[in-house]
Amino acid sequence: MNDGQTQTGGGSDELELATDWRWDGAELLYDLVAPTEAASLDVLADVGAAAMTRAAEAVLDCVVTLRAPNRKPVTAGSPEEAVMLTRWDQEHSHGPASESLDGNVAILVNAESRDPRWPHYRHRLQAAGYLSAVSVPLDVDHGYAGALTFLATEANVFTSELMSQVFGFRDLASRSLRLATQVRRASEFSEHLRSALSSRTAIDIACGVIMGQNRCSYDEAFAILSNASSHRNMKLRLVAEGILEGYGGAPETHFET
């Protein structure tokens, strides 16, 4: 690839990974499942740096960015200079990472390139100790946007051969990140459902107590509970639990796993 040119895509038939595995097009996925997006991105950045360093036979740093709907991008990687450079790129929309985050094709930047784009980014790139960088968009869940950025302290590292490896890794990383995001969302939904069911149990039992005390219907008991919630400016669940404290507290809700 020439300096400053745009790479439109492609994939390698065989990509050497950070482990002893090799990817030959099978549905091999990295385990990026973690409690938070930042944790998943940290793992991906570490794996990306190791995989591409081996492929390039030169030290490459990796930064990963994920932008969820209606939220600021989450950026992870190392060292800190690489992360700060990428964040500056995104915040100012001035560099390859912001281009890729908007879904554009890979952008190659070399310190010696005559490409006039992003002069401030090029200055910061060299100040951070790098001579070349490339960013590629990640294909993540609907509404999400992602970018994978590799940086090298040497010039002209990202040859056409290496770029095919970068795109191959990008495809694998995208699938892995999609799976991690879906698993995390399912886990969060499960926790919200558990919390909702636990709250409903306390509310229903409190209504039963009110029904017994006032000899009223469930709807009337629920209305009494709702009025108390409004007057005390407390959540309905907390009012219900307060009522049940005099009866030994709300029973625990058990879920089969």
Side-chain angles (χ1 to χ4, degrees):
M1 177 181 296
N2 296 326
D3 291 350
Q5 287 186 337
T6 300
Q7 175 72 28
T8 57
S12 61
D13 293 330
E14 186 171 74
L15 173 64
E16 189 169 1
L17 303 180
T19 65
D20 291 333
W21 303 333
R22 296 181 73 84
W23 177 55
D24 58 2
E27 291 299 316
L28 177 64
L29 298 176
Y30 288 121
D31 183 4
L32 303 181
V33 178
T36 65
E37 289 176 348
S40 292
L41 299 187
D42 275 330
V43 175
L44 179 55
D46 288 344
V47 173
M52 290 299 102
T53 291
R54 292 181 64 177
E57 297 183 353
V59 177
L60 267 66
D61 294 326
C62 180
V63 179
V64 186
T65 302
L66 184 67
R67 184 174 62 198
N70 302 317
R71 287 161 53 188
K72 292 183 178 180
V74 178
T75 304
S78 63
E80 186 63 19
E81 292 81 2
V83 175
M84 295 300 293
L85 174 65
T86 304
R87 285 176 177 162
W88 181 90
D89 173 352
Q90 296 158 10
E91 290 171 0
H92 294 81
S93 297
H94 190 82
S98 55
E99 287 285 334
S100 291
L101 197 59
D102 288 337
N104 294 323
V105 295
I107 306 297
L108 178 64
V109 175
N110 272 311
E112 300 173 359
S113 172
R114 297 180 180 178
D115 190 329
R117 291 174 298 176
W118 313 313
H120 299 298
Y121 176 83
R122 292 177 184 278
H123 175 74
R124 289 176 174 270
L125 179 71
Q126 295 181 65
Y130 298 107
L131 293 180
S132 52
V134 66
S135 292
V136 291
L138 288 166
D139 181 15
V140 286
D141 275 1
H142 178 71
Y144 284 72
L148 189 63
T149 302
F150 294 102
L151 305 105
T153 58
E154 300 177 19
N156 304 314
V157 169
F158 298 101
T159 62
S160 296
E161 180 180 356
L162 181 60
M163 283 305 300
S164 69
Q165 305 253 27
V166 168
F167 276 103
F169 179 83
R170 184 277 306 269
D171 294 342
L172 178 57
S174 295
R175 294 200 301 273
S176 301
L177 197 56
R178 282 199 302 271
L179 177 62
T181 300
Q182 292 165 2
V183 170
R184 186 165 49 250
R185 282 210 305 261
S187 178
E188 291 172 353
F189 176 79
S190 176
E191 289 302 317
H192 290 160
L193 181 60
R194 286 170 183 263
S195 177
L197 291 176
S198 295
S199 296
R200 191 69 211 187
T201 298
I203 292 169
D204 284 343
I205 296 176
C207 284
V209 172
I210 295 172
M211 290 167 65
Q213 292 175 339
N214 295 273
R215 296 186 178 182
C216 61
S217 67
Y218 178 89
D219 289 342
E220 292 170 331
F222 188 83
I224 293 172
L225 194 62
S226 297
N227 288 334
S229 173
S230 297
H231 291 155
R232 299 178 189 178
N233 195 26
M234 294 175 60
K235 291 184 177 180
L236 196 63
R237 173 181 59 84
L238 296 178
V239 175
E241 290 175 351
I243 292 174
L244 297 179
E245 284 182 359
Y247 297 86
E252 293 185 4
T253 304
H254 299 280
F255 301 93
E256 294 186 2
T257 57

